[in-house]
Structures are given as C-alpha cells and as structure tokens.
C-alpha cells in the first residue's frame, strides 16, 4: 500500500468535503478551491505519485463534456460544476473522470427522485451537483489508487 497515495486521497477528500458543504449551502463552488485542487495535484504528478499520463486527457475531456452538457441544459449545470469535473480529471485521469461523473450524476438523480417523491422539490428545481460529483470522484480515486 502506497502511503503517499493515501495522503493524496485524504487531502482530496478533505477539499471535496469543503466544496460539497459550500455548494450544498450556496449552490456555488468558489474558484479558490478549484485552484487549491490544481496546486495540490502538481507535486503529486511531478513526483509520479499519481498517474499523470491520462490526467490532461481527464481534465480536457471531462471539462469539455460537462461544459457542452451545461450549454445544452441552459443553466442546469453551473460553471463551478464544470471546473470541478475538469480539475477532478487531473486526479482520476481518463477514462476515470467519465466513471466518476456517471457515479455522481447517478447519485444526484437518485437524490432528486427521492426529494421529488417526498414533495421537497419540483421538476424545475435545481440541486447542487458538487457534492455528488465529489462522491463520484472519491469512489473513482479509491478504485484506482486505494483498493
């Protein structure tokens, strides 16, 4: 077991937890946390603690696909969500970011269905995606590096 990867995992989880709480309360993801995630990734990639071969692809493809989805949904997905997926692609690479996004969207859909069933939200209401994207990234990071 590589302890440096576990340290990276714990740092990632900590920052994603902060992002999730903020997004859940305000429906906004502050840019400073995206920048922190990028800054923390750099030494892990430089010292080859994380797989940096597919990181740029994860960043670019994950970010582009969510940006395109945001354009199509006309405001259903915010810019903070797009940036979160892009920077998360650095950590889980490609195709890892695709799995992480599917996990996150699946959990968000399940959460929405439950809330609609309880009449807490309607079809036109928005939920914050940051917490669910974060959970997807945590799952995928664990699958790639920890388990």
């Amino acid at each position: 077991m590589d302890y440096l990867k576990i340290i990276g995992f714990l740092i990632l989880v900590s920052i994603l937890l902060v992002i999730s709480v903020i997004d859940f309360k305000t429906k906004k993801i502050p840019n400073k946390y995206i920048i922190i995630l990028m800054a923390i990734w750099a030494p892990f990639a430089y010292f080859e603690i994380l797989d940096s071969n597919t990181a740029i692809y994860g960043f670019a493809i994950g970010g582009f696909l969510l940006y395109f989805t945001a354009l199509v949904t006309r405001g259903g997905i915010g810019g903070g969500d797009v940036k979160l997926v892009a920077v998360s692609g650095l950590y889980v690479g490609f195709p890892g970011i695709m799995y992480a996004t599917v996990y996150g969207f699946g959990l968000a859909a399940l959460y929405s269905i439950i809330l609609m069933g309880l009449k807490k939200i309607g079809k036109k209401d928005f939920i914050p995606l940051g917490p669910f994207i974060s959970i997807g990234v945590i799952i995928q990071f664990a699958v790639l590096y920890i388990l």
Side-chain angles (χ1 to χ4, degrees), residues 11-122:
I11 292 169
L12 178 64
V13 168
S14 300
I15 296 168
L16 290 175
L17 180 62
V18 170
I19 288 171
S20 296
V21 169
I22 292 170
D23 192 29
F24 197 77
K25 287 182 177 181
T26 66
K27 294 187 181 168
K28 296 208 180 292
I29 298 174
N31 285 333
K32 68 181 175 182
Y33 294 105
I34 302 299
I35 293 167
I36 289 169
L37 282 173
M38 290 178 78
I40 290 171
W41 171 79
F44 281 95
Y46 181 78
F47 293 110
E48 298 181 0
I49 297 165
L50 300 178
D51 179 16
S52 59
N53 292 328
T54 65
I56 299 303
Y57 296 115
F59 177 85
I61 294 170
F64 172 76
L65 289 177
L66 205 64
Y67 178 72
F68 180 74
T69 305
L71 291 176
V72 170
T73 60
R74 298 179 193 170
I77 297 173
D81 300 318
V82 173
K83 290 180 269 188
L84 179 60
V85 167
V87 77
S88 295
L90 294 172
Y91 286 86
V92 296
F94 182 82
I97 194 60
M98 304 312 292
Y99 293 115
T101 304
V102 168
Y103 302 150
F105 275 54
L107 291 169
L110 181 62
Y111 179 72
S112 296
I113 290 167
I114 291 170
L115 288 182
M116 283 191 286
L118 296 172
K119 307 271 190 226
K120 299 279 185 185
I121 64 171

